[in-house]
Amino acid sequence: MFDRVFQLIRKEDISLFVGAGLSLKAGYPSGHQLVETICDDIKNELSVNELSILKHQPLPFVAEKYIQIRNGSRNSLIQLLTQAFTRTPQDLSNQTSIASIPHFKNIFTTNFDSLLENAYHNQCNLIIEDANCPYIDNRLTNIFKIHGDLNRPDSILITQNDYTRYFDSLKNPIMWNLVKSTIATKSTLFLGYSFEDSNIESIFTKLFDSIGNNHKELFLIAPQLDNIKRNHLNRYGINYIDSTAEHFLESLLSDLKEHIKDDYEKKIVSTDTFNAFCNIHGIAISISIKKDKNEINKIGSIDGKRLATKITFSVGQEISDKIRRHEFHNGLKELANISGLQLSNNPSLKITKDQLLNFRHTENDIVFHHKDDIKALYLVQVPNKKGKVSLITPKGKLFQNISFEIYGKGSSILIRTQLPLYSYDIEMWINKDNIQFQATPQFDNYYSNKAQAVYWTELLLALCEGGEFTLRFENNKEHKVPLPYTQEGIDLYSKMIEYYNVIAKIEELIREPFAYYECYTQDKFTTAKKVLCYVTKTPYTHQFCDKQSKFTFEVQDSSILLHAKNEKELFMCHSTQIQEPFILNGKSFDVKYENALLSPCTILQCNQQEDRTFKIEVSVDSDSIPLFYSDSPVTETEGRISLM
């Protein structure tokens, strides 16, 4: 309904005409009510019939009649007007709304009251007569009071004779020419007019007699005009919009808040207007003006006032479930680049632009970002409480200065402990009957101190061994916490401790530190044990899932490397060339061969093939075999096996 008007206002291509209807909320009279007031003041001078007829006449006619009854004196009429339009206003919301829209550079009003200029707090130019015109400044809003101002009684236009003398003598021709040129060069919006009075029609008549059809678009907003009045508007080429001024102004402000940032970047609206709009709403803007596009560098508050920042977004079910389950992670490197904020270690969740269904960021209700303006959204948890605690295990071992953070409140609480090797999350769900919790460590990808890696893994191992633990807080208060025995955790953290010790042993043997240290995984642990066996020339024990396993080999000679202590005890060693080096903590170990010792084994088949090689199938009656890693394959001399 308002789309075209909004579009023109956003381009600063509309001037505003304001009528008496806009002052009704302030408790000021309409034209018809003013007729009633004037008639009441002279009712004793008129017959009942004359008074009844007079009350149905236009305001200029009634005002003229009043002056005639008062023997040509205007003083009583000015006093009536002053009493009617200088009382304390009940509601200035319409005027305040207009004053908050700096897109209106020129406002023309036929009102006698001072509500508009009061709403602008005198930050406007008041134009009443030609003498004021040299002070017009388009950096401010210019308010033209074309029917005069009560502070200057001789400027008031209200009677039929006033209009005749004004236009016939061309009083204030400079101001009048400005009105005509504005109508001709900018679109015009009429608010607060219902055409119940003839004063605005007299202005229309004079305007269009002067400029004819050489005017831009004209709009009038008023509620529920009848067909006669609508036809009257069509006669002047005025587009009628059926709405109240209050609804229009509310919708306009909402539209401007939604689009002004984009309008400014696209240079649709001027820098002065953009700055003024933001300042009116308590926002200070730092901007860069470029050839093709304006840019906003910084958003701040005026006079240190707080900004009302609001971000709304929606996501699909998958991301929603992650948020609900607190599936946040540490170490988002992008967050470390935010100036002045240390957020990279906070629990965070990155939502990419493609994962967002919509996004909206506002400051004091002004929209500054939509989904297309961002690359990603980061949800970062901020703790409600921080502190340090010491933990004493059931065996008396003390772990000191454990930092903790508490997130959330009510029935769902996350307690996070941040340690050099991992963060330890305790999620608690509290209901009427009991407390349920789940504790899980989230390990960093790397560690820097081998001794600390072992030390803090020992804490996890102790927690899994169960028993009653003592928590000692900074205020020396203690709290006893019983924990259950967890075999699965014991197995895992025992392996982790062994892994960190193996890494330390390898460094000691090769006399060279690793460039960096990767945290435990089962694959890394397996690689580390194989490297240690390679360096120490000791066997690596490979476990089987089944006790008995079968192996098939192809050899040049059916007897090579196959030995018997007696007919029932055979052993065999087979070498396999390794194609890729072992990579551990970024260091390459160029191991050539993996040698498997099968003992005791049983020959199942031994068949010579067409190329004169032998295919031998053997089985091993054991749950494991030793593996040796070397730079050359195994050799056999006089029945003895050796590694080079």
Side-chain angles (χ1 to χ4, degrees), residues 326 328-331 342-348 380-390 401-409 412-419 422-428 438 440 442 471 473-474:
H326 299 286
F328 288 17
H329 306 285
N330 289 345
Q342 299 296 324
L343 298 175
S344 58
N345 290 325
N346 285 50
S348 307
V380 182
Q381 288 185 298
V382 178
N384 300 329
K385 185 177 181 180
K386 293 182 178 182
K388 290 184 180 293
V389 65
S390 296
N401 296 321
I402 302 173
S403 298
F404 70 88
E405 298 172 342
I406 299 178
Y407 299 84
K409 56 185 178 179
S412 178
I413 297 174
L414 171 66
I415 303 174
R416 167 155 292 181
T417 300
Q418 189 68 45
L419 298 168
Y422 54 83
S423 62
Y424 192 66
D425 289 352
I426 303 174
E427 292 184 86
M428 302 179 66
Q438 176 179 322
T440 55
Q442 298 180 20
L471 297 177
F473 295 91
E474 292 171 293

Side-chain angles (χ1 to χ4, degrees), residues 270-430:
S270 68
T271 298
D272 286 344
T273 298
F274 177 64
N275 272 327
F277 191 82
C278 290
N279 290 343
I280 288 168
H281 291 86
I283 300 173
I285 299 292
S286 172
I287 57 179
S288 296
I289 301 175
K290 298 187 177 181
K291 183 178 180 181
D292 299 323
K293 181 181 179 181
N294 296 326
E295 292 183 357
I296 299 173
N297 301 323
K298 187 178 180 181
I299 303 171
S301 61
I302 293 178
D303 298 331
K305 296 179 181 178
R306 293 184 63 183
L307 292 176
T309 302
K310 186 176 182 180
I311 292 176
T312 57
F313 65 94
S314 62
V315 294
Q317 190 64 48
E318 180 181 355
I319 300 300
S320 177
D321 289 342
K322 285 186 176 182
I323 296 172
R324 179 176 51 80
R325 294 193 299 261
H326 299 286
E327 290 186 15
F328 288 17
H329 306 285
N330 289 345
L332 289 178
K333 295 181 180 179
E334 302 98 316
L335 295 177
N337 297 324
I338 300 177
S339 176
L341 296 175
Q342 299 296 324
L343 298 175
S344 58
N345 290 325
N346 285 50
S348 307
L349 176 65
K350 179 180 179 180
I351 305 175
T352 65
K353 179 178 179 178
D354 293 338
Q355 292 171 324
L356 288 167
L357 300 181
N358 57 60
F359 176 88
R360 198 168 182 265
H361 159 225
T362 64
E363 300 288 351
N364 293 356
D365 295 329
I366 297 177
V367 177
F368 281 93
H369 295 100
H370 293 282
K371 177 182 173 181
D372 292 339
D373 299 322
I374 65 172
K375 294 181 179 179
L377 172 67
Y378 296 87
L379 299 184
V380 182
Q381 288 185 298
V382 178
N384 300 329
K385 185 177 181 180
K386 293 182 178 182
K388 290 184 180 293
V389 65
S390 296
L391 186 144
I392 305 171
T393 71
K395 296 179 181 179
K397 185 169 183 178
L398 175 65
F399 293 88
Q400 300 184 57
N401 296 321
I402 302 173
S403 298
F404 70 88
E405 298 172 342
I406 299 178
Y407 299 84
K409 56 185 178 179
S411 61
S412 178
I413 297 174
L414 171 66
I415 303 174
R416 167 155 292 181
T417 300
Q418 189 68 45
L419 298 168
L421 184 66
Y422 54 83
S423 62
Y424 192 66
D425 289 352
I426 303 174
E427 292 184 86
M428 302 179 66
W429 297 276
I430 305 170

Side-chain angles (χ1 to χ4, degrees), residues 571-591:
F571 70 90
M572 181 176 185
C573 192
H574 181 265
S575 297
T576 302
Q577 190 168 4
I578 298 174
Q579 301 300 319
E580 299 290 339
F582 293 159
I583 305 297
L584 186 63
N585 293 335
K587 184 175 179 59
S588 176
F589 294 86
D590 194 16
V591 181

Side-chain angles (χ1 to χ4, degrees), residues 137 150 213 259 261 481 624 631:
D137 184 352
L150 287 172
N213 293 323
H259 295 101
K261 177 258 186 181
V481 179
S624 65
D631 295 328

